[in-house]
Amino acid sequence: MKDDNSFQNNSQDESINFREQIEIYLKYWPWFIVSVIIALVFASLYLRYTQNQYKAVATILVRDDKKGTYQSEMSAFDELGLLSAKNSVDNEIEIIKSRSVLQAAIKKLNFNVTYFTEGRVKTIELYENCPISASFYDTNDNFYNSSNTFIINYKTKNTFELKHSDNKTIGVFKYGEIVSLQDCKVVITKKYFDPSFEENNYSAFLKINSLSQVTQSYKNRVGVTQISKNSSVVELSLTDPVAQKAADLLDAIIDVYNKDAIDDKNYISEKTQQFIDERLKFLTVELGDVEKQGEVFLKNNGLTSISTEAESFVQNSVDFEKELIQTETQIKIVNSMIDYLKTAPRDGVIPNNIIPSSNDNSSNTGDLINQYNGFVIQRNRQLNSGATEKNSTVVNLNNRITEMRISIKESLSRLLNSLKITSSDLSKQGRLIGSKISEIPRQGREYNVIGRQQKIKETLYLYLLQKREEVGISLAVTAPNAKIIDSALASKSPVAPNVRIIQIFALLAGLLIPFLIIFIRDFLDTKIKTKRDIDKVITIPFLGDIPASDSNDKIIEVNSRSSAAEAIRMIRTNLDFVLGNIPDNQCKTIFVTSSIPKEGKTFVSINLAATIALTAKRVLIIGLDIRNPKINDYIKLPSKGLTNYLAKNDQDINDYIVKLDNFENFYALPSGVIPPNPVELLSNNKINILFDQLKKEYDYIIVDTPPVSLVTDTLLVAKNADAFIYVIRANYLDKRMLKFIEDLYQSKKLPNLSVLLNDTDLKKSYGYGYGYGYGYGYGYGVEVEKKSFLNRLFNKK
């Protein structure tokens, strides 16, 4: 049951705390409204002056051998076991995004030249709706490396004025006339004419941008992404203020990419075809010589056919002959490749689809040649893009090319040795069979040698002739690397700025900014604000609070109905409960103190005494703050008073007590002359005797004492008090001082202590010098201080 009550109390406290936090911010609802309005205004201005961005999207299918094979230009040689070049989607995406492809597309569309016109709100780029068109020729390198802006002013239907961006006139020209500029020549033509041009003095801006800057700008905006890991479909996207311009650039990028891919493929095919043509010329001569040699042999020996006589023996050696012919053919091919490597240029590719495969799989010559050709193409591409021979990438590629060339030679040598061994074995087998046909005439053997040579050369010749035709077909029908699925299409509505998101962000920012200001201000503010701040730290009874006065009167008038006057009367009533243990016929002595100056204890003392005096009680107010008396600031009193009495013997205290005007029962004992030894005066027993005497003559004695945290004067006379009122000024006293007040209460140094919170709304503050080096400030009195906006902002109302 106890736990349930504890839980309910905790829940109630949390609910109260949450409600208190909400109320803190709800007090500043005008701030939130103004902040939201300002934020929405700024958002509207941003949306009005920001150019809309449109998105264009295109979809292509990139050929990827990992996800689907395609007929490459070298597939005619697949039966030789050589590998063709393979495509990877990841690699192709990087190529599409490359600066070289993008720059070629921009140059193709002349996108480094843009047209603008000034609207009433913002500058608008013209594209398809541009009334003029500029064609450039005889350009130099500076044309693409620098930026220039020209102004084209409409003059007449057939003429225009051309100016520099600094309004320096170049001249007046006719449409279609050649205009010579510093880096190029330009011809400006008129696409259409609008009569309003003449009325509105129409002008357009022609801007020539640096090609590298334009390329980088588009490179940052072009997106190339693979739609799915399981497919080779790629999406290209681009955002731009001009929708159709973005779509045109995407189409151009695809076109340039396909053209580059086709050029790379044709480059290898052309080199292969060139090699085959050279070998065919050489074989034609050799084949003619062998055929002529056979003809001479038969003619000299008077023979027509030798095969009939050796048919039975030759039949047994057919298989060996076939293998030997094939081996000799392969040896020839390998020797041809070795000879070609000796004379082939270093920057040229090597034909890679005519190398025979090894039966024992010990040679990987085809793979090595493929890798070598790939490095050569990469090196040439780097050099074509502007890299020098000293470029680190080019140097690395040259080193790899050199290493691969050596590896190819070694691989060919191994393959040649393997073929020679095979040929040697076949020759041995042939000689073994030959021993069985030793009876065949010498003419037969010699003729077979000639015939074999003829067959070898014929086979090689026909093989190369066939491959030349296949390569020629490949050159004629080379397929593009990317198939267009969806051509570029731009969105009709802008994708940025997002109106809804910006408005929501502005709304949130408008709410968040004042919230943060209030939160940070409250977080950094360590001043006591309300009774809740006091109750969190101390356990002292709370007497009440006094709001800031609506008037500048130091003493509240008798008939005043202000909130401050009512608060003083409420405190007077609460004092009756505090002093309830004192008999009605006995004098009640009330000391008023504070922690530091400027908390309003003198104001509370004066007005509390005046309020009690109105109840027909004899009230005496004593100015015990003898170091810097301030009662004189509220009521007019003589200069002599308490200190004069304490400093001399045989003095009558009644000679120093003054009756206040407009009050029947209100008396005051001034502080007197400021003494040099206040502690000695207050330590004297004479002060205690004085209080005993005065208690017999008055119903209430209100004592204005010094701040207890600065001097010990109050503690010296505290035993004469029936109750202590501890004044705390809101928005002035630091919360850390509450621990000091609680210690005074717990140690009972100030009897019957209660707390009063003064100046709770901070509308007014007052100040004047204090003898301790501080100043007093009260919720009411002499002067109204006008606060600046920043002071009002960082001080809670």
Side-chain angles (χ1 to χ4, degrees), residues 120-136:
R120 289 181 300 175
V121 177
K122 52 191 174 183
T123 300
I124 302 172
E125 182 178 355
L126 303 174
Y127 186 56
E128 292 180 329
N129 58 341
C130 184
I132 59 173
S133 176
S135 301
F136 297 89

Side-chain angles (χ1 to χ4, degrees), residues 32 35-36 39-40 501-516:
F32 288 92
S35 178
V36 168
L40 291 176
I501 294 298
I502 290 176
Q503 289 176 342
I504 292 174
F505 177 79
L507 178 62
L508 294 177
L511 295 173
L512 184 62
I513 290 173
F515 173 83
L516 290 177

Side-chain angles (χ1 to χ4, degrees), residues 168-344:
K168 183 178 179 181
T169 302
I170 299 175
V172 178
F173 307 94
K174 294 181 179 180
Y175 291 106
E177 182 179 350
I178 298 176
V179 180
S180 296
L181 300 177
Q182 182 177 357
D183 301 320
C184 63
K185 292 182 180 180
V186 60
V187 175
I188 296 178
T189 56
K190 180 173 58 178
K191 295 168 65 176
Y192 66 88
F193 173 75
D194 191 332
S196 63
F197 291 171
E198 186 172 3
E199 299 174 3
N200 301 326
N201 295 322
Y202 180 81
S203 63
F205 294 86
L206 172 64
K207 187 173 183 180
I208 303 173
N209 304 284
S210 169
L211 184 60
S212 60
Q213 293 178 359
V214 175
T215 303
Q216 186 61 43
S217 173
Y218 280 110
K219 192 174 189 300
N220 294 335
R221 288 181 281 149
V222 170
V224 183
T225 56
Q226 186 176 356
I227 293 180
S228 172
K229 292 183 178 180
N230 298 323
S231 70
S232 56
V233 178
V234 174
E235 181 184 83
L236 287 76
S237 61
L238 172 63
T239 56
D240 194 81
V242 182
Q244 189 57 44
K245 189 175 183 180
D248 291 346
L249 183 58
L250 290 182
D251 287 337
I253 290 173
I254 297 171
D255 184 61
V256 170
Y257 164 71
N258 277 332
K259 184 177 180 301
D260 286 350
I262 291 173
D263 290 344
D264 287 343
K265 295 174 184 177
N266 288 344
Y267 179 73
I268 298 177
S269 297
E270 288 170 356
K271 288 294 182 180
T272 303
Q273 188 178 45
Q274 182 180 353
F275 170 77
I276 292 175
D277 289 340
E278 292 176 356
R279 296 308 303 165
L280 284 173
K281 291 179 182 178
F282 180 74
L283 284 174
T284 301
V285 176
E286 285 189 342
L287 186 58
D289 293 341
V290 172
E291 289 175 346
K292 189 175 293 186
Q293 183 181 355
E295 180 184 351
V296 171
F297 178 82
L298 292 174
K299 186 178 180 180
N300 292 336
N301 290 275
L303 298 174
T304 57
S305 175
I306 303 176
S307 59
T308 303
E309 300 179 7
E311 182 177 357
S312 59
F313 295 101
V314 172
Q315 185 64 36
N316 296 328
S317 63
V318 168
D319 295 336
F320 291 106
E321 289 291 332
K322 287 182 180 180
E323 292 182 8
L324 186 58
I325 289 172
Q326 184 178 2
T327 303
E328 290 295 330
T329 300
Q330 293 175 346
I331 291 173
K332 287 286 186 179
I333 293 173
V334 174
N335 282 327
S336 297
M337 287 301 299
I338 292 174
D339 294 338
Y340 175 79
L341 281 177
K342 294 178 181 178
T343 59

